[in-house]
Amino acid sequence: MTPSATTRFAPSPTGFLHLGHVVSGLYSRIMAGEAGRFLIRIEDIDTTRCTPELTQALREDLDWLGLYSDGPVRQQSEHLAEYHAVLDTLRERGWLYPCFCTRREIAEAATQVAPDGSLVYPGTCRHSAAREGQGRDPVWRLDMGRALDVLQGVPGWHEVGHGRVAGKADAFGDIVLARRDTGVSYHLCVTHDDALEGVTTVTRGRDLYEATSVQRVLQDLMGWPEPVYAHHALILDAEGHKLSKRDGAEGVRVLRQAGWTARQVLEHPLVRQALEASLPTGVYSGG
Ligand code: GLU
């Protein structure tokens, strides 16, 4: 925690607010510190999974909990032109290439798994500029080898409470920066917005720890500032899986309808447990 940190809580409205979100939101607010700024951002570029109704519900639930943004709430779907401008820059510099491979072709040709569990793209279209996709739109991939040459190494990051972490971007291969369906991507939009909003401490769950390697590459390629990172512990179910929207019992709406107060939700034992595991001793004192 730094005295003047700017943090953000960046949920994707693919379902109702649940206790996992409460942990992320509270963690972010606490990490901003008394004098810092805590921002809320709605990451809704995937318009097939994110709906205006879910965004509205998410914002209502956050208001009910008293988790307010210290600045305007940015909604990514309203800023697509800005993300396309970043893609244009990367394309003009020769760091992106179009890829027409189908999922199936990639699954058949891939031999490696990236640190986040995804398949490493085997590079088929990198070597065949003339390849076309029988009328299909391409996805646009980052030429990771070229990017790391430009940066003269693999960027790492500072993890709050741990120190310097070595990046693993080289193990991700040529990641997609413009998806076929949305025309943009999570890595692209999140790094753009973190830079634009002056986020100094990126707070989020441990499930996105590995994504940091890729995001550090984009920041350095674009000349954006390097934030520090603070990944918090997740709420896990009895089988050790991350809590998700499928676990309706932990939905904030469900608890509210069952008579819980906002304070009780903020101090829910599962929230407390995850925050106590993530924050320095004595910092968490409930909502
Ligand atoms: N929108 C992402 C999610 O809901 C979080 C992005 C981030 O914090 O970097 O999983």
Side-chain angles (χ1 to χ4, degrees), residues 8 10-12 43 186 190 203-204 208:
R8 87 310 193 265
S12 294
E43 300 207 329
Y186 157 61
V190 82
T203 58
R204 58 188 178 198
L208 288 168

Side-chain angles (χ1 to χ4, degrees), residues 73-92:
V73 174
R74 183 173 170 92
Q75 196 161 329
Q76 288 190 327
S77 59
E78 294 171 359
H79 300 277
L80 293 180
E82 292 165 54
Y83 310 131
H84 282 288
V86 179
L87 286 171
D88 287 345
T89 302
L90 294 169
R91 225 179 263 125
E92 279 157 21

Side-chain angles (χ1 to χ4, degrees), residues 73 76 111 173 226 233 239 276:
V73 174
Q76 288 190 327
T111 55
E226 177 187 342
E239 280 90 50
E276 282 178 351

Side-chain angles (χ1 to χ4, degrees), residues 20-36:
H21 291 120
V22 177
V23 172
S24 286
L26 256 185
Y27 181 71
S28 189
R29 191 174 74 177
I30 293 169
M31 291 299 282
E34 291 284 308

Side-chain angles (χ1 to χ4, degrees), residues 8-14 21 24 41-44 76 186 190-191 194 202-205 207-208 211 215 229 231 242:
R8 87 310 193 265
F9 168 48
S12 294
T14 56
H21 291 120
S24 286
R41 179 195 308 149
I42 305 292
E43 300 207 329
D44 61 345
Q76 288 190 327
Y186 157 61
V190 82
T191 46
D194 286 339
V202 171
T203 58
R204 58 188 178 198
D207 53 329
L208 288 168
Q215 295 176 14
Y229 287 81
H231 294 93
K242 185 190 162 193

